[in-house]
Amino acid sequence: MFLTRFQINPARRNARKLLSSPQTMHAAVRAAFAAAEDYARADMRTLWRLDTVGTATVYLYVVSPGRPDLTHLVEQAGWPTTETWVTRDYDGLLGSLRPGDRWAFRLTANPVHSGRKTADAKETQRFGHLREHEQVEWLTSRAARHGFALATQQDGRPNVRLHGRQTQTFRRGMGNVTLTMATYDGILQVTDAEALRRAMTGGIGHAKAYGCGLLTLAPAQAVP
């Protein structure tokens, strides 16, 4: 597995188009892989996330089975003459995970629940959790199956902070897609290293093609 970071130049026209449409960004990420097996394998898939630092700095993070080539993104939405992208081997970090370890984490996710739109509806649909406490509970309820527990603060609440909470609508084909998204920053403790590795290479939750599901770790004293 590989972890790639690419800085987007938001002043460029094509960059603004990419940043406003998860569907367009998904296509651009997919185009970075010439071979299908570099994009997705058995329990591994390509995941991506946009991180905004300050008011004008945006990074694209990509975790993938194969090494990507982001030349097209540099030309369309980066700084072609001064900066490209950085790709690092991810297997070292994945292999270092041990139960009991504490890490800082970041996750952009699509916190949803299933239900029926009306009482007499035959099929269930996904509805986004809109309240902050519901979004925190969504992650808390899934932590164990993904091999971690959220650390707790002195007041007993989960050590997690939400930001970038939004509902985004974009075109897909002839219709619209509406996504509820939230970014989680916090501290976790590893409970099942293998399950956590699967979560980091396969994603958490739905809408993975649209910038959700990528969990990244950093030393607990640092910002992920």
Side-chain angles (χ1 to χ4, degrees):
M1 295 295 289
F2 295 91
L3 172 64
T4 299
R5 188 181 77 170
F6 165 67
Q7 186 173 356
I8 295 173
N9 181 352
R12 301 188 65 181
R13 180 180 300 176
N14 284 332
R16 293 195 293 271
K17 181 179 179 181
L18 288 166
L19 294 173
S20 65
S21 172
Q23 174 78 352
T24 303
M25 183 64 81
H26 165 62
V29 171
R30 179 64 184 86
F33 303 91
E37 61 268 22
D38 287 338
Y39 181 76
R41 298 176 190 170
D43 293 326
M44 305 174 184
R45 60 174 297 159
T46 293
L47 304 164
W48 62 271
R49 186 182 74 220
L50 293 172
D51 282 5
T52 301
V53 182
T55 57
T57 303
V58 183
Y59 290 105
L60 169 68
Y61 286 91
V62 179
V63 166
S64 55
R67 186 181 291 270
D69 182 346
L70 301 184
T71 302
H72 62 300
L73 281 175
V74 174
E75 294 172 346
Q76 297 172 17
W79 282 268
T81 62
T82 60
E83 191 169 345
T84 56
W85 67 90
V86 177
T87 297
R88 294 192 175 96
D89 182 85
Y90 207 36
D91 291 330
L93 174 63
L94 294 172
S96 73
L97 300 176
R98 298 291 183 270
D101 290 350
R102 289 167 64 91
W103 293 88
F105 75 90
R106 175 165 291 169
L107 167 71
T108 294
N110 171 223
V112 297
H113 63 98
S114 296
R116 290 181 170 81
K117 194 169 184 178
T118 61
D120 57 351
K122 294 182 180 180
E123 297 182 355
T124 60
Q125 295 179 260
R126 292 176 189 153
F127 299 93
H129 287 299
L130 302 179
R131 298 181 178 87
E132 183 170 344
H133 74 88
E134 294 174 338
Q135 294 176 343
V136 172
E137 290 172 359
W138 177 90
L139 181 59
T140 302
S141 68
R142 284 158 176 76
R145 78 182 74 163
H146 292 303
F148 65 91
L150 295 177
T152 56
Q153 305 176 102
Q154 290 184 346
D155 60 7
R157 293 185 298 173
N159 191 331
V160 63
R161 179 177 66 89
L162 270 66
H163 58 97
R165 300 171 60 236
Q166 61 178 309
T167 298
Q168 188 171 9
T169 300
F170 58 93
R171 295 287 298 176
R172 184 179 69 182
M174 299 299 293
N176 291 330
V177 175
T178 299
L179 289 181
T180 299
M181 304 171 68
T183 297
Y184 301 77
D185 284 349
I187 305 295
L188 62 76
Q189 184 169 10
V190 181
T191 57
D192 182 334
E194 185 56 37
L196 182 55
R197 280 189 281 269
R198 289 195 299 269
M200 293 174 66
T201 58
I204 296 176
H206 297 287
K208 299 181 182 73
Y210 301 126
C212 297
L214 174 55
L215 172 72
T216 54
L217 305 180
Q221 67 272 20
V223 176

